[in-house]
Amino acid sequence: MFKLLKNLIKEPMFVIGSVLFLTTILAGLFGPFLYVSMPEGATYEAPSATYLLGTDNLGQDYVALLLKGLQNSLYVGFMAGIIATTVGTLIGLFGGFKGGIVDDILNMFTNLFIVIPSFVVLVLVSASWPEGRSLTLIAVLIGLTTWPWTARSVRAQAASLRGRDHISLARINGATNLEIIFKHILPYLASYVFMVFIMQVASGILSESAISMIGLGPIGEGSTSLGVILNTAKNNSAITDGYWWGIFPAAIVITMIVFALYLLNNSMEGVFNPRLRK
Amino acid sequence: MFKKYPTVRYVLQRAIWYFLTFLVALSLNFFLPRLGSDPVDIMMAQSSFSSPEIRKQTEENLRKEFGLLVLDKQDSIVRDTVRSIVIDTVVNVVADTVIDEQGNVTLDSLGNVVVSERNETVINKHEKIEINAVKASKFSQLINYIGQVFQGDLGTSFKNQKKVSEIIAQALPWTIALQLPAILFGWIFGNGLGALAAYRRGVFDKVIFPLALLMSSIPFFVFGMVLVYFFGVVWDIFPAVGAYSLELTPGFSLDFILSIGYHYILPFFSIFLILAGGQAIGMRSMGIYELGTDYIKYAKWLGLKESRVLVYLFRNAMLPQLTGLALSIGQMVGGALITEMIFSYPGLGMAMLTAIQTNDYPVIQGVTLLITTSVLLANFTVDILIALLDPRVKQSLSMDAK
């Protein structure tokens, strides 16, 4: 474990990724509480000493909006990531370990939901929920539509472990299936599952911004997300009127979080998978 | 059956599987919009009506449109007469004059007639007749919906009474013209870059790889917005919105075609570049993996030309990437649809956005169904391509048959 960390720290991608990620996490967690929002100004005021990033179409302080949006986007991303990883890992583990008919059924179920675009499912459900779409609802929806990816990759890994000697030994010693799965298979896949989790968080944040962009994102007081900020800016013609501060900060923040997560994932892949190491 | 022709058998198996998946997708497309709340209720709540009769009529029409009602062979609503006995109790106050033992009307000290009041309860029974449309069961609704879809009937838009299939037919060519080349060329370009990065490593890899990683972290629509801002607004080199100049009348004139090409560039690149970034990353890992294999080492020892080795490498690493394309095509199409919205490109994305903003459920359902169908078709095509191209899959197919 220690050696692994030492290897990771030598990777510039890992260092840059974790610094970026920690910064966004801290800003999202504490920013909305620490930053004192400026009083409402005029519509689309350009960035100045008072409004560091200008104001939006309602004259609200963009810094405060971005911090709140970042917090909410991270919440949706993590929540969706946790749901998708848990569901996907469980299904993948059981299918891969059990094999046979259980695997066939779970696998068919997984493949079914991989080919049916999750974007479509998100649009259909959100459109039927015109009122009170909370952040949590969006997160749960995303989590429940993106798990097949996790299930698929975890299943492949679990299946490759099935025939290992230590599994047979555990079985001879009378371990139950659950014990074998959680004690003897999951630990081997822990690093892998963690990497999958990172990717699921990234895709959760991206999905949320995508669904918000088409006006089906979270609605209600205080549920601004980065996607909602971008959608509002677009709907109030911030791009075509040249109010760059309406789109660039939010766009950069989304890109930075996702980039940080991709960097983390890729640097870990390099360490865990010796072949990719130079 | 078809044991002698494993490929044919495989194609048939896949076809059946995708058909079943299509049925599941159809059911989802039918049930999901009814999950949160009844779309008809939502639409009714948004409009006001001059009289209860008109309101009832509109609601019935909407429910009929949604396939929520039982219809007879002439497609008219089956009505059920509900007879019920309504009991009204009316309490009347009856005033009686007070009569004494002698039969005289009692007068008070001022000479007025004394009156005593009592309550009399009258029970009125009458029959109430209501004529209601018969609601269809969920299952028969679904069967009905599937039947309509297979006849190509996707319903009628609530907003402009146009057929949904007509709206889609107008939008679809734009989407195909934009997305098919962008996804295809993005895939080829990205994979070429990825293979090169894997093969060269060194400085080349150190520049391309992080760049590709950064590109793939940008959502399609964010990149689209950035392109619109710089190229469409600040520098004003390319048009920011639309698929052609609105001053021109659509037709086969040179001006019109040039205008389409001019409007095509920004949306194309915003999909193409982001997609290429993602593909390059995947191809790089695959390429590095393949580089460690014996056949590449052998090819190098033989002293084959570098370009030759690269071709072998590309061919082998490409197949898993092809599978990857099939699996992620749904996400790509979703992202590309949002790009259309940024550019107000008159394709399916825009049609869906307009429908979402006006709660036009038949159009939303029609578009989502079309997206799902095309993603399923794309997956099916890739599955077959892989079976035909990949010797490994081919061999396992003939092994299965034996």
Side-chain angles (χ1 to χ4, degrees):
Chain A
M1 194 66 203
F2 185 68
K3 209 181 155 206
L4 218 67
L5 217 66
K6 233 171 96 184
N7 272 335
L8 274 174
I9 285 174
K10 273 190 271 176
E11 285 269 335
M13 282 206 300
F14 181 78
V15 177
I16 299 172
S18 31
V19 168
L20 264 178
F21 188 61
L22 283 179
T23 316
T24 48
I25 288 270
L26 289 177
L29 269 183
F30 301 112
F33 303 109
L34 294 179
Y35 180 78
V36 184
S37 174
M38 290 291 147
E40 271 182 32
T43 299
Y44 282 127
E45 252 184 74
S48 62
T50 341
Y51 300 105
L52 289 175
L53 290 172
T55 61
D56 75 347
N57 58 312
L58 298 172
Q60 298 178 83
D61 185 357
Y62 255 130
V63 179
L65 275 176
L66 278 173
L67 288 171
K68 189 73 195 156
L70 173 64
Q71 185 179 50
N72 289 337
S73 285
L74 284 172
Y75 169 74
V76 173
F78 269 90
M79 180 103 169
I82 289 170
I83 294 172
T85 312
T86 313
V87 175
T89 305
L90 286 179
I91 289 182
L93 272 178
F94 276 95
F97 170 69
K98 285 283 238 182
I101 184 97
V102 178
D103 187 28
D104 285 345
I105 292 172
L106 289 178
N107 199 26
M108 191 177 147
F109 202 57
T110 309
N111 284 338
L112 197 78
F113 281 96
I114 281 182
V115 287
I116 296 177
S118 57
F119 175 73
V120 162
V121 177
L122 270 179
V123 166
L124 286 173
V125 180
S126 306
S128 78
W129 232 295
E131 280 145 30
R133 277 197 304 267
S134 66
L135 287 161
T136 312
L137 176 75
I138 300 278
V140 171
L141 283 179
I142 295 174
L144 290 183
T145 48
T146 47
W147 63 264
W149 294 97
T150 313
R152 196 188 169 91
S153 38
V154 169
R155 175 186 168 268
Q157 301 279 330
S160 72
L161 284 174
R162 192 168 51 202
R164 293 269 183 94
D165 288 343
H166 77 282
I167 306 288
S168 314
L169 264 177
R171 201 171 291 160
I172 292 168
N173 280 322
T176 60
N177 282 342
L178 272 182
E179 265 173 0
I180 294 178
I181 287 176
F182 286 108
K183 268 190 179 160
H184 303 293
I185 292 186
L186 194 57
Y188 276 82
L189 300 181
S191 64
Y192 190 77
V193 170
F194 185 66
M195 272 156 52
V196 168
F197 170 67
I198 289 181
M199 292 310 274
Q200 290 282 15
V201 173
S203 102
I205 291 172
L206 286 176
S207 297
E208 187 279 325
S209 65
I211 200 81
S212 298
M213 236 6 243
I214 51 175
L216 291 175
I219 31 179
E221 190 75 24
S223 62
T224 284
S225 68
L226 294 172
V228 171
I229 292 178
L230 282 173
N231 186 40
T232 319
K234 185 201 126 222
N235 288 345
N236 291 289
S237 58
I239 319 171
T240 37
D241 291 350
Y243 305 127
W244 57 267
W245 56 92
I247 43 170
F248 280 81
I252 290 171
V253 174
I254 291 186
T255 309
M256 280 305 120
I257 311 172
V258 178
F259 185 47
L261 289 168
Y262 280 5
L263 279 176
L264 286 179
N265 178 66
N266 266 284
S267 55
M268 282 184 207
E269 205 180 351
V271 171
F272 294 141
N273 184 355
R275 257 222 246 238
L276 291 176
R277 228 181 300 158
K278 186 101 187 252
Chain B
M1 222 194 349
F2 298 114
K3 282 232 155 131
K4 277 187 183 160
Y5 307 98
T7 316
V8 177
R9 204 170 82 124
Y10 172 78
V11 170
L12 275 177
Q13 272 176 351
R14 293 318 289 164
I16 292 169
W17 193 82
Y18 276 109
F19 182 72
L20 291 179
T21 312
F22 178 68
L23 289 184
V24 174
L26 262 181
S27 319
L28 282 178
N29 210 50
F30 174 79
F31 281 118
L32 288 180
R34 291 159 177 79
L35 202 66
S37 45
D38 189 345
V40 176
D41 287 343
I42 296 168
M43 282 176 292
M44 293 304 290
Q46 281 167 346
S47 25
S48 54
F49 300 95
S50 50
S51 74
E53 284 78 34
I54 295 177
R55 188 188 167 84
K56 196 177 172 189
Q57 186 60 47
T58 319
E59 191 174 342
E60 259 182 15
N61 285 342
L62 284 178
R63 290 195 187 279
K64 182 183 171 189
E65 199 61 64
F66 260 85
L68 300 177
L69 301 176
V70 175
L71 300 178
D72 63 13
K73 288 198 177 103
Q74 279 81 45
D75 252 9
S76 48
I77 300 169
V78 174
R79 283 166 204 285
D80 195 14
T81 314
V82 182
R83 286 166 195 277
S84 50
I85 309 274
V86 182
I87 301 172
D88 294 330
T89 39
V90 183
V91 180
N92 294 325
V93 180
V94 185
D96 293 326
T97 48
V98 180
I99 297 167
D100 61 14
E101 288 110 39
Q102 284 84 36
N104 296 323
V105 174
T106 316
L107 300 174
D108 64 7
S109 53
L110 294 168
N112 295 325
V113 179
V114 176
V115 181
S116 90
E117 284 179 358
R118 67 184 168 87
N119 289 340
E120 191 183 72
T121 312
V122 182
I123 296 172
N124 288 323
K125 277 188 189 174
H126 62 86
E127 200 182 34
K128 190 178 156 198
I129 300 171
E130 264 183 302
I131 302 173
N132 287 328
V134 182
K135 282 184 182 159
S137 74
K138 281 270 186 289
F139 185 70
S140 68
Q141 286 176 27
L142 176 65
I143 297 299
N144 197 10
Y145 175 70
I146 292 177
Q148 278 179 341
V149 167
F150 277 104
Q151 284 165 23
D153 180 8
L154 296 172
T156 314
S157 160
F158 288 146
K159 291 300 151 181
N160 48 20
Q161 305 308 317
K162 261 192 189 168
K163 280 267 164 214
V164 174
S165 44
E166 232 174 89
I167 296 176
I168 287 178
Q170 270 174 5
L172 191 61
W174 293 107
T175 294
I176 291 180
L178 179 62
Q179 294 198 12
L180 200 65
I183 290 179
L184 225 55
F185 288 123
W187 186 81
I188 295 171
F189 180 71
N191 282 314
L193 265 188
L196 213 60
Y199 192 73
R200 288 279 161 81
R201 303 301 294 262
V203 186
F204 196 64
D205 189 29
K206 282 205 172 72
V207 177
I208 288 191
F209 181 54
L211 207 68
L213 207 58
L214 182 63
M215 283 309 278
S216 67
S217 336
I218 307 176
F220 285 95
F221 59 87
V222 165
F223 193 57
M225 283 171 140
V226 172
L227 286 187
V228 170
Y229 179 75
F230 283 116
F231 291 95
V233 179
V234 178
W235 300 322
D236 201 13
I237 311 174
F238 291 109
V241 289
Y244 51 85
S245 170
L246 291 176
E247 291 147 25
L248 299 170
T249 40
F252 277 102
S253 64
L254 184 66
D255 276 353
F256 186 67
I257 292 167
L258 280 178
S259 173
I260 286 182
Y262 194 37
H263 283 75
Y264 189 78
I265 296 168
L266 280 191
F268 175 82
F269 274 98
S270 61
I271 300 173
F272 170 81
L273 285 176
I274 300 293
L275 205 136
Q279 290 299 319
I281 295 168
M283 186 61 176
R284 176 185 169 269
S285 324
M286 277 318 299
I288 291 173
Y289 177 82
E290 291 287 334
L291 273 175
T293 54
D294 292 341
Y295 77 93
I296 291 284
K297 284 181 187 156
Y298 183 62
K300 278 185 176 169
W301 283 331
L302 282 181
L304 288 185
K305 253 195 285 173
E306 221 177 46
S307 59
R308 193 86 212 131
V309 182
L310 205 59
V311 167
Y312 286 136
L313 175 81
F314 191 77
R315 254 179 33 190
N316 273 295
M318 191 192 75
L319 290 162
Q321 282 294 96
L322 202 59
T323 320
L325 175 74
L327 292 177
S328 54
I329 207 154
Q331 282 177 318
M332 290 176 192
V333 171
L337 284 178
I338 302 173
T339 310
E340 283 183 10
M341 300 173 188
I342 303 291
F343 289 95
S344 303
Y345 211 74
L348 285 179
M350 216 39 213
M352 185 161 77
L353 184 67
T354 322
I356 286 171
Q357 282 165 349
T358 51
N359 278 323
D360 199 343
Y361 286 91
V363 180
I364 301 178
Q365 271 182 303
V367 175
T368 51
L369 183 65
L370 193 77
I371 298 171
T372 314
T373 313
S374 23
V375 169
L376 289 183
L377 276 177
N379 272 289
F380 183 49
T381 316
V382 173
D383 272 7
I384 289 170
L385 270 181
I386 288 172
L388 295 178
L389 292 177
D390 194 337
R392 288 165 288 195
V393 176
K394 233 179 179 171
Q395 198 176 3
S396 77
L397 283 182
S398 31
M399 299 269 274
D400 281 349
K402 274 169 199 162

